[in-house]
Amino acid sequence: MKNKIAFVFPGQGAQYVGMGRELYDNYHEVKELFEKADEILGRNITSICFEGPEDELKKTENTQPAILLVSVAAMMVLEKHGIYPDMVAGLSLGEYAALVAANSISFEDALPLVMKRGQFMQQAVPLGQGMMAAVLGLEREKVEECCRLASDAGVVEPANYNCPGQIVISGHVAAVEKACAIAKEMGAKRTVPLAVSAPFHCSLLKPAGEALEKELDKIHIKDPEIPVVSNVEALPVRDAAHIRKLLVQQVSSPVRWEDSIRYMIKQGIEVFVEVGPGKVLTGFLKKISSEVKVKGYNVEDLKSLESTLKELGGTM
């Protein structure tokens, strides 16, 4: 009996200059996908992925389509080799790649949509007014309490429940800094400010969600063909109307990644493949699944593809 496989897709922050290059050079389908992406966006996203410069790739409106493009390219290669998912999920932006994987949103619609999503998220809060920070080594209830205690200094809320001992908070600069100071007093190992351009996944981003809703109304969304575990509910979303609603909420709601992975493990998923740039989600998986036997792999270049196919019995 074959193992049940989940594909998980990375979010913003996983990007690096050169990502996707080896797959592009070795698979004509990937080359065609990149050429199509340049055409759809009316900008040379291929060159931004491969050559940068890093500052250009880090712009949210470039980062989001670039990561989506590389993630879908890696998925196409896996499927070409006979590896298909039973379930999918994606961290924040990665949820769009998951919806493409489930044939719920077309790649042609998802790509310009995430570019606009990036622009809306960037515009929602003026530069320098918001920030995000990772709180390490503190239980979730205590992190929530830190945010409550610091809320007199502005908006500060949990943004990402990544894995045990790593929760990201988001909001106004003064409030996030105050929450970090309280977290240290409560016993956090450390707090790490994140190099992001806006305070994602908190209520300050509601205007971005409203702008995104208008764009979502213009595209065709189908019921997913395989379960897509949503960030907002950490449960499968089964119909197109609910997907629209959750994608709007997702921009300003916390990403329940740890809960999503635990749900998938309970459903019998034994193998998680991180599809796209980086290995951040594979690192989270190790911390989430320390008591159960699941395997994590990643596919972003030829070496990682080869070792994953070898383990999963795909055809090379």
Side-chain angles (χ1 to χ4, degrees):
M1 194 178 122
K2 84 171 190 70
N3 288 341
K4 279 181 86 174
I5 295 174
F7 284 1
V8 291
F9 297 92
Q12 196 162 333
Q15 73 277 0
Y16 57 88
V17 174
M19 63 180 185
R21 185 79 204 226
E22 287 189 3
L23 300 179
Y24 176 96
D25 287 342
N26 287 276
Y27 290 91
H28 69 88
E29 303 92 334
V30 171
K31 192 171 186 207
E32 282 169 10
L33 187 77
F34 273 79
E35 285 165 0
K36 190 199 278 185
D38 289 346
E39 207 176 297
I40 291 168
L41 295 175
R43 63 174 69 184
N44 195 339
I45 199 75
T46 300
S47 159
I48 293 170
C49 282
F50 297 165
E51 282 133 40
E54 198 178 334
D55 285 352
E56 200 58 33
L57 180 59
K58 267 168 116 173
K59 284 181 185 164
T60 302
E61 65 182 68
N62 290 329
T63 310
Q64 298 210 12
I67 290 174
L68 177 77
L69 170 58
V70 175
S71 298
V72 171
M75 176 186 75
M76 279 171 64
V77 171
L78 273 167
E79 293 185 344
K80 181 185 168 75
H81 290 294
I83 307 293
Y84 292 88
D86 298 291
M87 203 176 265
V88 288
L91 185 92
S92 187
L93 160 72
E95 192 153 284
Y96 289 81
L99 289 163
V100 172
N103 286 321
S104 177
I105 298 181
S106 71
F107 175 72
E108 291 78 1
D109 280 339
L111 199 65
L113 183 65
V114 299
M115 184 168 89
K116 285 178 181 148
R117 178 181 183 264
Q119 289 166 344
F120 300 149
M121 289 169 88
Q122 190 58 70
Q123 290 157 4
V125 181
L127 268 175
Q129 285 190 16
M131 73 177 282
M132 298 178 79
V135 179
L136 306 179
L138 205 60
E139 302 83 30
R140 113 175 13 197
E141 293 74 21
K142 285 189 176 172
V143 175
E144 288 162 359
E145 179 66 7
C146 294
C147 291
R148 276 195 296 276
L149 293 170
S151 62
D152 59 338
V155 169
V156 55
E157 297 158 3
N160 294 63
Y161 295 97
N162 286 332
C163 63
Q166 196 199 105
I167 295 171
V168 174
I169 59 175
S170 180
H172 288 120
V173 173
V176 172
E177 285 174 345
K178 184 171 179 179
C180 286
I182 295 168
K184 282 180 189 154
E185 285 166 20
M186 281 195 183
K189 282 183 190 158
R190 58 195 178 110
T191 59
V192 184
L194 302 185
V196 291
S197 50
F200 304 136
H201 298 292
C202 75
S203 55
L204 296 175
L205 269 278
K206 281 201 169 136
E210 286 157 16
L212 183 66
E213 189 168 19
K214 295 188 179 94
E215 296 300 324
L216 283 163
D217 285 343
K218 297 175 192 170
I219 69 163
H220 181 56
I221 301 179
K222 297 188 290 190
D223 294 350
E225 291 173 12
I226 54 172
V228 180
V229 179
S230 87
N231 288 182
V232 175
E233 296 179 339
L235 291 168
V237 52
R238 301 189 189 280
D239 67 272
H242 199 41
I243 287 168
R244 279 179 206 279
K245 197 176 107 186
L246 291 180
L247 287 177
V248 172
Q249 283 178 15
Q250 190 229 45
V251 175
S252 57
S253 300
V255 173
R256 295 175 57 194
W257 190 251
E258 181 185 338
D259 298 341
S260 298
I261 296 296
R262 289 193 190 283
Y263 172 82
M264 293 162 103
I265 292 169
K266 271 194 186 139
Q267 299 309 303
I269 296 291
E270 295 152 293
V271 173
F272 289 83
V273 184
E274 182 169 2
V275 183
K279 297 180 193 163
V280 170
L281 303 182
T282 308
F284 292 162
L285 177 68
K286 284 180 187 151
K287 289 181 180 158
I288 296 166
S289 66
S290 56
E291 317 90 54
V292 286
K293 267 197 171 169
V294 296
K295 290 184 172 165
Y297 305 102
N298 80 301
V299 172
E300 59 182 325
D301 53 21
L302 290 186
K303 190 181 170 193
S304 56
L305 172 69
E306 202 173 320
S307 63
T308 299
L309 291 177
K310 199 169 146 190
E311 290 293 332
L312 299 183
T315 50
M316 195 66 190

